[in-house]
Amino acid sequence: MYRTSAQGRRDLAEQLLLDKDEFKISPTYTSRVAEIFSVILKSLGLKLEFIDEDEEVKEYDDSMLSLHTLDGKEYLCTDYQFMLVERKHNIEKELLQKYGVIDADELEKLVMIELMNRNFVIGPAKDEINSTEAYKPDTAN
């Protein structure tokens, strides 16, 4: 962030001039690049929103299988496929909170509609959503 933040550059320069072996850098800096990008997207009618889950940026592996657990169910899949399973599961939870009691088939339809309508940066294209294994109905009991 020291390259894209004015405050980050100041803090780094200040710390480099001090005679210390270790120094702390603030975990939060405002990125000028992100601000400019946000303004450009806003002019196009889009909103840039950063979601900082666990303050970690990572790549989803889609080549190695591993065991994942979600609500007591185990899934043998790649990290990418499990991210898609979690996404569907979270949408199911949102819809259940909204509607309370709902038929399982109706819930499945609403989840698929919601997956199609939301614009996710990572994930299958809209025309691939219905054929994506991670979005197929869960058959585990």
Side-chain angles (χ1 to χ4, degrees), residues 86-104:
E86 283 182 312
R87 178 181 291 167
K88 181 181 178 192
H89 181 74
N90 290 336
I91 291 173
E92 285 174 353
K93 278 185 170 181
E94 287 175 26
L95 292 171
L96 283 172
Q97 278 185 324
K98 182 178 178 180
Y99 293 106
V101 178
I102 189 171
D103 181 59

Side-chain angles (χ1 to χ4, degrees), residues 81-127:
Q81 290 168 335
F82 186 67
M83 181 269 302
L84 297 177
V85 168
E86 283 182 312
R87 178 181 291 167
K88 181 181 178 192
H89 181 74
N90 290 336
I91 291 173
E92 285 174 353
K93 278 185 170 181
E94 287 175 26
L95 292 171
L96 283 172
Q97 278 185 324
K98 182 178 178 180
Y99 293 106
V101 178
I102 189 171
D103 181 59
D105 293 333
E106 184 65 25
L107 176 63
E108 187 68 29
K109 279 189 226 174
L110 291 173
V111 168
M112 294 309 285
I113 289 169
E114 195 66 32
L115 286 169
M116 292 286 270
N117 291 337
R118 291 192 185 180
N119 294 317
F120 295 107
V121 174
I122 299 172
K126 290 187 188 263
D127 59 340

Side-chain angles (χ1 to χ4, degrees), residues 119-140:
N119 294 317
F120 295 107
V121 174
I122 299 172
K126 290 187 188 263
D127 59 340
E128 298 172 336
I129 286 178
N130 289 325
S131 62
T132 302
E133 284 295 320
Y135 291 155
K136 293 200 174 173
D138 195 352
T139 57

Side-chain angles (χ1 to χ4, degrees), residues 19-71:
D19 191 25
K20 292 183 180 177
D21 291 338
E22 294 182 14
F23 56 89
K24 291 184 179 179
I25 294 177
S26 172
T28 58
Y29 287 114
T30 302
S31 170
R32 296 291 179 228
V33 174
E35 287 177 346
I36 293 167
F37 186 57
S38 179
V39 169
I40 292 169
L41 287 177
K42 196 173 197 178
S43 69
L44 297 172
L46 301 171
K47 180 181 177 185
L48 179 63
E49 184 177 330
F50 290 99
I51 300 172
D52 227 358
E53 293 179 3
D54 299 330
E55 297 179 8
E56 180 179 323
V57 176
K58 65 179 183 176
E59 179 181 349
Y60 289 107
D61 181 19
D62 199 23
S63 59
M64 292 187 58
L65 293 176
S66 55
L67 189 62
H68 302 275
T69 305
L70 179 65
D71 285 349

